[in-house]
Amino acid sequence: MLPTSAVIQSSSSSSFRWKLFGQSLVERNIRLLNQAGVSVVYLDLNDADMVFYENNIKKHLVEITGTEIIAGRPVEKNYLQIPANQFVLFNAFSKFEENFLLINGVYQPVKKPNQYRIEDTTDFNNARKMAIEVIRTGSGGKLAQTINKKISIPLSLLFSRFRVLPNVITIINFFIAVIAVSFLFSSQRSFEAIGGILVQLCSIIDGCDGEVARMTTRFSKLGGLLDTISDQLLALALIVVAMVKVYLNCSTSTFVIVMISVVAGVGTMVGIIIYFMQHYTESMSFASFDRDFLQVLPRNDYLVKSMIYLQYLARKELYSMMVCLFCLFNALHYYMIFFAVVAVSGSFLVISITLKYLPGMKKIRN
């Protein structure tokens, strides 16, 4: 169990020489402890380190809440002690027993390949590469990891260096999305192509806010909410503009069929997911349907396997790329027809799976 108090102690190697993603190791470790839920962080620093803290670090920690930062050492036992030049990954405190060992009443970091004291340039470079690789593979699918993140991670490193807040990146990305949709509404071929490219750019920058949050340990519920809202608004706007393109470029009967298919397909899936959230899980996140239902079903069932594959088509990294490609050929209306087929297929799969497996699950609420 994570202690409520921790101490950061000066070591023989200066911790302020190394700046990981624009933060000294002391600032980084204080932020990690705050995110983990430590209520008091004691600073047991030598004179030079304390002067550096007062002049260069303290001003960057004013927004931290829930953690008191004071000079000295804790009186009670069973506290956590971290060297000032200690490198740990973001998830170290969520697996506390694996990464920290109680020695003489003090929890200390276990020396491992992914956490150690940074003593020289080799240690620092290895820690930096390791943290970047964890960020690259920690979110998104294969498409995002192999294409989008080749651009988003260098951007995130630049944003982190200049201390750009993740929420600022989210807001900027939202305005890029508004501009993208405005271009898509144009009847000019070149404008539609530009709009499609901007949609793909949004998908790339969308990864930056989360990456910067991990790099600089600046996580917040508001940031997650803003990111979710902006993603959903963009997805909805793309559906609307694509439907307009179908109306302008296809027959009336095609437009009606596509409209009914999208509304019925998406509405059916959303309705079933909401029902599942209300009766079978404590979570109020749409992701709970996948996490608490689909992922626990037998993978050898072709219905489940098909639904998991089909879900990937709804991920932003993929539909943004597809919208971009269709727009380059002035064919956004064809993307909407494809989306209508996916929506109908998805609704049939969801209905089949829920009828097959949901009655056997225990309800949390009636």
Side-chain angles (χ1 to χ4, degrees), residues 267-281 283-286 288-289 365:
T268 298
M269 288 187 285
V270 170
I272 291 174
I273 292 173
I274 292 175
Y275 177 82
F276 175 83
M277 289 163 48
Q278 290 177 336
H279 299 279
Y280 291 90
T281 181
S283 173
M284 295 308 293
S285 168
F286 273 49
S288 63
F289 184 76
R365 294 179 292 269

Side-chain angles (χ1 to χ4, degrees), residues 56 77 79 106 170 211 218 283 324 359:
N56 299 280
K77 290 185 178 181
Y79 58 86
V106 178
T170 302
E211 291 165 6
R218 291 176 178 270
S283 173
C324 179

Side-chain angles (χ1 to χ4, degrees), residues 106-123:
V106 178
Y107 286 98
Q108 300 180 24
V110 177
K111 186 176 181 180
K112 302 169 66 174
N114 61 354
Q115 63 177 37
Y116 49 84
R117 297 188 188 188
I118 295 180
E119 304 284 355
D120 53 35
T121 302
T122 300
D123 289 341

Side-chain angles (χ1 to χ4, degrees), residues 72-90:
R73 293 184 64 85
V75 178
E76 70 278 7
K77 290 185 178 181
N78 296 344
Y79 58 86
L80 174 60
Q81 180 173 291
I82 298 180
N85 61 337
Q86 179 73 34
F87 166 73
V88 294
L89 286 170
F90 323 100

Side-chain angles (χ1 to χ4, degrees), residues 1-3 6 29 32-33 36 79-83 86-89 91-103 106-112 115:
M1 182 178 177
L2 180 71
N29 287 330
L32 285 173
L33 290 167
Y79 58 86
L80 174 60
Q81 180 173 291
I82 298 180
Q86 179 73 34
F87 166 73
V88 294
L89 286 170
N91 62 350
F93 299 102
S94 62
K95 301 178 180 178
F96 188 76
E97 289 76 13
E98 297 179 15
N99 296 303
F100 299 91
L101 186 64
L102 184 62
I103 302 175
V106 178
Y107 286 98
Q108 300 180 24
V110 177
K111 186 176 181 180
K112 302 169 66 174
Q115 63 177 37

